[in-house]
């Protein structure tokens, strides 16, 4: 954002078992772009959590569900003033099934929608739109199973050719699933008067099995939203193959817990990789760096980016790869606290991540401690790339 103009303010309506990506990706991406984002849930207060669901298609007749991260709310629902927000986002998942029959939710959605402010709803979130009666006469798409209820609500149903489909009709933006987040969020940013500025960059992601779920998808889709061409590769895998991810959460134990996350689909092949065609590198954390740090081909890729002075962003356990590549000597660097030994022995000056969302830039290197820091992590990487959202 440019100038002294107040930040645009966005509200996300949350609920237990909303889809994990469909809450966190827009929540953190919009903050990285300079928006103020409030997340609230009926019956809950700021600081409470909503449990999320991991929904994905695994070849069955319908999507599967498993437990996701715990999403921390930052706003108390009963204290919401609709007039202060410039736009509204409604995630999908199973939460909309019960939120769509909550009068306070429906009144809030109707008030914001009727004011002409942008409303963006994805997947099953359109159940709430139908319950609020705001889709009548509007073009609308959604997860395919919602077609009967949206037609009954009077919308002009738009059949989604793919799960990435998005439709814009006036102040209403609808999407099918999180696969379409880049277009979905870009339309929302533009509806709020934002303009994405900067060159079209080509970014490489170094992926591996059981990298952290958020730490790959949030920056991946955020950069795609900014019109970057983003390639995700993994040693010994090809474009179209998947990497299982790990959900690392903080649930009161002495260390983070782990659950199985989404399967992340690679869109490029590691073999034959030529780094000269890329403008920047991102290294997610999780457990993948433990074994990627043993792969000399991976280490060569990292050295090539660092020696060329291109922007490199690494988060959490990703710094294990930086340390193994020998590129941290003389650098200021943070990481997940358990990785401090790797960083210090790698010759870096350790920067304490206090609080855990702190991120730091040293020359061409951005480092962060964990996924709660994504807004800072992504915005600092954007600055190195010359990308910004302005009004």
């Amino acid at each position: 954002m440019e100038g002294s103009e107040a930040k645009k303010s966005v509200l996300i309506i949350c609920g237990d078992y909303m889809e994990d990506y469909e809450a966190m990706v827009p929540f953190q991406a919009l903050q990285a772009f300079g928006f103020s984002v409030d997340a609230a849930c009926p019956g809950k207060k700021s600081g409470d959590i909503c449990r999320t669901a991991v929904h994905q298609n695994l070849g069955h007749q319908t999507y599967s569900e498993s437990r996701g991260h715990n999403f921390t709310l930052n706003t108390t629902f009963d204290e919401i003033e609709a007039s202060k927000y410039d736009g509204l986002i409604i995630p999908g998942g199973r939460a909309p099934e019960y939120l769509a029959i909550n009068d306070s939710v429906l009144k809030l959605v109707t008030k914001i929608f009727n004011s002409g402010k942008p409303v963006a709803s994805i997947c099953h979130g359109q159940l709430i739109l139908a319950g609020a009666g705001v889709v009548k006469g509007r073009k609308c798409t959604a997860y395919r199973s919602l077609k009967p209820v949206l037609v009954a609500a009077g919308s002009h149903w738009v059949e989604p050719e793919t799960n990435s489909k998005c439709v814009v009709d006036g102040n209403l933006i609808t999407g099918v699933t999180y696969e379409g987040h880049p277009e979905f969020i870009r339309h929302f940013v533009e509806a709020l008067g934002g303009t994405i500025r900067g060159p079209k960059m080509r970014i490489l992601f170094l992926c591996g099995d059981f990298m952290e779920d958020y730490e790959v998808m949030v920056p991946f889709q955020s950069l795609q939203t900014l019109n970057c061409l983003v390639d995700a590769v993994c040693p010994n895998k090809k474009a179209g193959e998947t990497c299982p991810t790990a959900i690392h959460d903080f649930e009161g134990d002495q260390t983070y817990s782990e659950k199985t996350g989404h399967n992340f689909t690679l869109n490029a092949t590691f073999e034959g990789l030529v780094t000269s065609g890329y403008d920047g590198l991102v290294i997610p954390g999780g457990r993948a760096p433990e074994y990627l740090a043993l792969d000399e081909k991976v280490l060569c890729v990292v050295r090539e980016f660092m020696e060329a002075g291109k922007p490199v962003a690494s988060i959490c356990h990703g710094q294990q790869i930086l340390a193994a590549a020998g590129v941290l000597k003389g650098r200021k660097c943070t990481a997940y606290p358990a990785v401090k030994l790797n960083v210090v022995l790698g010759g870096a000056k350790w920067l304490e991540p206090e609080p855990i969302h702190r991120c730091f830039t040293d020359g061409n290197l951005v480092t962060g401690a964990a996924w709660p820091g994504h807004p800072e992590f992504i915005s600092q990487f954007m600055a190195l790339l010359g990308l910004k959202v302005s009004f």
Side-chain angles (χ1 to χ4, degrees):
M1 300 242 177
E2 292 179 329
S4 58
E5 181 181 344
K7 287 184 177 181
K8 296 283 185 177
S9 185
V10 174
L11 175 66
I12 300 181
I13 295 181
C14 301
D16 286 334
Y17 297 105
M18 57 187 174
E19 212 291 325
D20 202 12
Y21 281 163
E22 290 171 6
M24 187 58 87
V25 175
F27 180 74
Q28 291 192 316
L30 289 170
Q31 289 180 76
F33 300 162
F35 292 83
S36 172
V37 187
D38 287 350
C41 172
K44 298 193 180 190
K45 300 177 181 178
S46 178
D48 290 345
I49 65 165
C50 283
R51 302 190 187 280
T52 68
V54 170
H55 285 169
Q56 53 187 338
N57 293 313
L58 298 177
H60 307 294
Q61 291 181 332
T62 188
Y63 53 87
S64 67
E65 176 174 302
S66 56
R67 281 281 305 279
H69 294 80
N70 295 324
F71 183 96
T72 302
L73 304 165
N74 63 354
T75 301
T76 300
F77 187 86
D78 290 344
E79 298 175 358
I80 288 174
E81 295 180 22
S83 60
K84 71 172 271 192
Y85 295 103
D86 300 295
L88 172 69
I89 288 183
I90 306 174
R94 280 197 296 108
E97 294 176 356
Y98 70 89
L99 294 178
I101 54 174
N102 184 304
D103 285 342
S104 61
V105 170
L106 300 182
K107 288 177 182 177
L108 178 61
V109 171
T110 301
K111 187 171 184 178
I112 294 176
F113 184 86
N114 288 342
S115 71
K117 295 174 181 177
V119 173
S121 181
I122 199 161
C123 200
H124 285 68
Q126 285 81 302
L127 284 171
I128 297 173
L129 300 179
V134 300
V135 293
K136 189 173 183 179
R138 295 292 191 121
K139 294 178 184 176
C140 183
T141 195
Y143 192 73
R144 289 173 177 81
S145 62
L146 270 65
K147 177 179 178 179
V149 70
L150 288 170
V151 170
S155 75
H156 297 303
W157 173 256
V158 177
E159 188 67 27
E161 303 89 358
T162 70
N163 284 335
S164 298
K165 179 73 174 179
C166 294
V167 173
V168 179
D169 186 351
N171 67 321
L172 181 63
I173 301 161
T174 53
V176 181
T177 72
Y178 55 76
E179 292 179 34
H181 268 153
E183 182 181 354
F184 178 76
I185 299 171
R186 189 183 309 122
H187 282 312
F188 187 65
V189 168
E190 292 170 350
L192 288 166
T195 300
I196 296 167
R197 301 190 184 279
K200 182 172 284 189
M201 294 294 195
R202 193 174 180 207
I203 309 299
L204 181 68
F205 273 60
L206 282 178
C207 301
D209 289 345
F210 298 106
M211 57 189 167
E212 212 288 326
D213 199 23
Y214 280 163
E215 290 173 6
V216 62
M217 186 59 99
V218 175
F220 183 81
Q221 291 194 318
S222 297
L223 291 166
Q224 287 182 320
T225 298
L226 298 171
N227 296 313
C228 293
L229 300 174
V230 188
D231 287 348
V233 299
C234 175
N236 304 313
K237 295 194 180 188
K238 298 178 181 179
E241 294 186 285
T242 63
C243 286
T245 68
I247 287 172
H248 286 170
D249 218 340
F250 310 99
E251 301 182 283
D253 303 306
Q254 290 183 332
T255 188
Y256 50 85
S257 63
E258 179 172 301
K259 299 182 282 286
T260 300
H262 299 79
N263 290 329
F264 181 87
T265 302
L266 304 165
N267 62 352
T269 300
F270 184 86
E271 191 66 30
L273 187 68
V274 178
T275 62
S276 61
Y278 293 96
D279 302 295
L281 173 68
V282 176
I283 306 174
R287 282 198 291 109
E290 293 180 5
Y291 76 90
L292 292 179
L294 304 175
D295 190 319
E296 186 57 34
K297 291 182 180 179
V298 170
L299 303 184
C300 284
V301 168
V302 173
R303 292 185 194 112
E304 287 174 10
F305 275 92
M306 290 295 290
E307 289 168 4
K310 295 179 179 179
V312 173
S314 182
I315 196 163
C316 198
H317 285 68
Q319 283 80 303
Q320 291 176 317
I321 298 175
L322 298 179
V327 298
L328 288 181
K329 189 173 183 180
R331 294 285 190 150
K332 296 176 183 177
C333 179
T334 195
Y336 189 69
V339 185
K340 179 178 180 179
L341 184 60
N342 301 69
V343 170
V344 172
L345 292 178
K349 178 182 178 181
W350 173 254
L351 299 176
E352 197 67 38
E354 185 60 45
I356 198 69
H357 62 74
R358 286 294 305 276
C359 296
F360 299 93
T361 299
D362 181 10
N364 67 317
L365 180 63
V366 178
T367 54
W371 56 256
H374 274 149
E376 283 190 27
F377 181 73
I378 296 166
S379 65
Q380 290 182 32
F381 191 54
M382 287 170 59
L384 291 181
L385 294 169
L387 301 172
K388 58 186 173 183
V389 175
S390 60
F391 286 84

